Amino acid sequence: MSNYSVVATGDVAAIHQLYGHQSHCIDSGRQQDWAQTFTDGGEFHSPSYPEPAVGFDALAAFAARFFAAAEATDEVHRHVLTNLVVEAVDESALTVHGYLQIVATARGGDSRLVRMTTVTDHVVRVGEEWKIARRTVSRDDAPRASEQA
């Protein structure tokens, strides 16, 4: 049974703020601010990239590469995170599930969906803030497990 109904409303609002802030940071080239939304040893795992980014420096470098790639193609990239479900693990940890779309818009052109993914995050309380300890991204276009065998 899911623990989404036992999460305090204030914590759910804080998680929405965290995810909105994080999306704006990576999309606007504020890589250090984006990396600070993770814990000191925070991890980002995605099949879209060859290796996970672990720790502040690697996370900031990842975000910088993401923004630079968009700039190099004269596009604006947006992270659109929706359908968040926040589940209690315990009083200082949450699991957050969401749908993440990455949309690219050519300057002066049309928008296109780059990829549709889901994120599953382990989020922990650090002082008065919630921070992401581990993000795992799954791509919707990945073959089913039975197709990979």
Side-chain angles (χ1 to χ4, degrees):
M1 177 157 205
S2 175
N3 290 322
Y4 73 89
S5 62
V6 298
V7 179
T9 303
D11 289 331
V12 172
I15 292 299
H16 278 263
Q17 285 291 90
L18 170 66
Y19 284 67
H21 173 70
Q22 188 180 59
S23 294
H24 283 267
C25 288
I26 196 168
D27 293 340
S28 64
R30 294 169 38 216
Q31 63 267 11
Q32 292 190 348
D33 291 339
W34 183 81
Q36 288 176 348
T37 64
F38 288 83
T39 60
D40 290 341
E43 301 177 20
F44 178 91
H45 298 262
S46 172
S48 298
Y49 304 99
E51 295 182 15
V54 179
F56 180 84
D57 291 341
L59 290 163
F62 167 82
R65 287 189 303 273
F66 181 88
F67 184 75
E71 289 286 299
T73 57
D74 202 25
E75 293 180 333
V76 175
H77 288 189
R78 297 287 186 231
H79 286 71
V80 181
L81 205 66
T82 62
N83 296 53
L84 296 181
V85 175
V86 182
E87 298 176 318
V89 174
D90 59 38
E91 62 188 33
S92 63
L94 304 168
T95 299
V96 180
H97 303 278
Y99 297 148
L100 172 63
Q101 302 170 61
I102 299 178
V103 178
T105 305
R107 295 191 187 277
D110 293 329
S111 298
R112 73 183 192 297
L113 180 64
V114 175
R115 62 185 157 270
M116 185 74 189
T117 68
T118 59
V119 296
T120 301
D121 290 348
H122 179 67
V123 182
V124 297
R125 191 181 301 277
V126 177
E128 297 297 313
E129 297 181 299
W130 290 104
K131 294 196 175 227
I132 298 165
R134 180 183 174 103
R135 169 165 290 165
T136 303
V137 179
S138 300
R139 290 181 61 132
D140 285 5
D141 61 355
R144 294 179 193 252
S146 61
E147 295 171 3
Q148 293 176 352

